[in-house]
Amino acid sequence: MAVDPKVAAVIERWAPRFISNGVPLTDYQEATKAIANWDDWCAAWARRAEIHEAMGMAALDAGKGISAGEHLQTAGVVYHFAKFVFVGDMAQMKASHEKAVRCRDLALPHIDPPGIRVEIPYADASLFGILRKPPGAQSPPVVVMCMGMDSAKEEMASNEAHFLKRGMASLAFDGPGQGEGEYHFAITPEYEKPVAAVIDYLETRDDLDASRIGLWGVSFGGYYAPRAAAFEPRAKACIGISGPFDYGKLFKAQGGNEVFRVRAHCASMEEAYTVAKRIDLTGVAEKISCPLLAIGGELDTLTPPAEQQRMANEASGPSEALILEGGNHCANNLRHMYSPQSADWMAGHLGAG
């Protein structure tokens, strides 16, 4: 096992996430075994992704769509974890990121149910997302999925599945400072702006019911989704997982965050702190009037459960906090205890099924 403290910390914190979000156990084991220090991280994971990519491309060439979809979706998520927090070498990170996007895009027509890449006009450019619809559903409700500080739409297949199986469409998108949006746009604490653009886009489609939209967010997305719900009346329900209520306080207590600094497009940690202080639901949570489910892990040291409990306490609409005993950040070690249940909750509020 790796001895580099940074590698050890990332593995300890995120191992359940890697597996629950689609990394095969053997790939996780082999990639991490090959890492002697942090500088090796991206290349070690990319080598594992290349195996799945090659099998996927061979299957495509042979006309084996089902196998191609499976292999290429796996390649996409493994490439994603090659790059997810590897901000110290932007060229290497971006190269793996481009491969993650390409592999998932190639997989989309061949997975069940299939998906499409969508472009959403935003500010002076565009945001990009993945839209999937439940088979046979006519004008289904939609769950807009908000990413975290280091997550991206290529990582979302297992999360999408819970909603799709219950008759809801999913639109996972990369917002400012996230995934494909991290290069042109900085982290934007006022996340109602990109969510409004996403909902505007959904309203242009006649195959979805834009009057039944739910918001879902994980980690930083667990702040972004409730923040958007506070200002976006078109949101009918909201799930936030392990989001911060007051990130400025946490940022300072944790001595800053280099991934945040880079994705906030800040030159210094001091400048990043000025952005972090804007990530605060004080005086905002009370504007959340739609049903809110705030989920947290009892043992989460990044965004402790008191943050999610405070969201639920201060929201003005129907709200509850689900704090999972023994859960880590995003309770990825206990996904079986909340992913299906929260999808049922969302389906009930959106009238799905």
Side-chain angles (χ1 to χ4, degrees), residues 2-337:
V3 296
D4 183 312
K6 185 170 183 178
V7 175
V10 170
I11 290 172
E12 180 182 11
R13 178 172 295 152
W14 295 125
R17 171 183 171 190
F18 300 148
I19 304 305
S20 64
N21 284 349
V23 175
L25 179 60
T26 298
D27 288 298
Y28 160 71
Q29 292 171 329
E30 293 298 317
T32 53
K33 184 170 67 176
I35 297 169
N37 59 68
W38 179 248
D39 292 341
D40 300 332
W41 180 276
C42 189
W45 281 78
R47 284 193 295 271
R48 299 303 304 182
E50 288 166 359
I51 297 170
H52 298 283
E53 181 182 18
M55 291 190 292
M57 297 307 294
L60 272 183
D61 290 343
K64 306 297 184 184
I66 294 174
S67 294
E70 292 173 352
H71 291 312
L72 288 167
Q73 182 156 277
T74 300
V77 74
V78 178
Y79 273 128
H80 165 72
F81 283 120
K83 64 79 61 179
F84 81 129
V85 292
F86 201 74
V87 297
D89 185 335
M90 292 298 289
Q92 193 177 168
M93 187 200 83
K94 192 169 185 179
S96 283
H97 186 195
E98 289 172 350
K99 292 177 182 179
V101 172
R102 183 178 71 245
C103 287
R104 184 105 205 267
D105 284 352
L106 287 170
L108 289 176
H110 306 289
I111 59 177
D112 184 22
I116 59 170
R117 175 180 173 85
V118 299
E119 182 173 355
I120 301 157
Y122 178 70
D124 61 344
S126 296
L127 301 174
F128 294 92
I130 291 173
L131 175 64
R132 298 175 72 192
K133 297 184 293 182
Q138 300 298 317
S139 194
V142 190
V143 179
V144 173
M145 303 179 72
C146 305
M147 305 299 101
M149 188 191 304
D150 53 53
S151 52
K153 61 190 183 302
E154 288 72 37
E155 184 188 346
M156 288 294 118
S158 64
N159 292 288
E160 294 162 357
H162 293 288
F163 300 116
L164 292 162
K165 290 175 182 177
R166 291 161 176 80
M168 294 167 279
S170 63
L171 176 52
F173 79 102
D174 292 334
Q178 303 166 310
E180 290 188 83
E182 70 185 88
Y183 308 105
H184 188 75
F185 299 110
I187 284 173
T188 300
E190 299 77 24
Y191 208 77
E192 64 273 15
K193 297 175 183 178
V195 167
V198 171
I199 298 178
D200 289 346
Y201 165 78
L202 291 173
E203 290 184 332
T204 70
R205 300 186 64 99
D206 60 9
D207 58 341
L208 303 169
D209 186 350
S211 71
R212 294 186 290 158
I213 290 175
L215 304 180
W216 176 97
V218 63
S219 192
F220 244 52
Y223 159 84
Y224 289 142
R227 164 80 195 203
F231 295 98
E232 181 49 77
R234 293 174 291 181
K236 298 301 186 288
C238 179
I239 296 171
I241 304 167
S242 289
F245 189 100
D246 178 358
Y247 185 63
K249 173 189 65 180
L250 297 173
F251 182 92
K252 195 168 186 179
Q254 294 164 2
N257 185 303
E258 179 65 5
V259 175
F260 181 90
R261 183 194 69 77
V262 171
R263 290 178 177 156
H265 297 187
C266 293
S268 67
M269 209 62 77
E270 291 75 18
E271 183 185 356
Y273 178 54
T274 66
V275 179
K277 288 191 294 184
R278 288 161 46 204
I279 299 172
D280 186 354
L281 291 176
T282 302
V284 173
E286 63 196 41
K287 302 180 191 299
I288 303 172
S289 58
C290 70
L292 171 68
L293 176 59
I295 299 170
E298 175 200 21
L299 305 181
D300 186 352
T301 57
L302 288 178
T303 50
E307 302 285 301
Q308 297 88 56
Q309 186 65 63
R310 187 176 173 191
M311 285 186 202
N313 290 349
E314 296 194 16
S316 60
S319 62
E320 59 182 295
L322 174 61
I323 307 302
L324 293 158
E325 184 178 354
N328 63 4
H329 184 59
C330 302
N332 282 306
N333 59 328
L334 297 173
R335 284 273 294 273
H336 60 287
M337 296 185 68

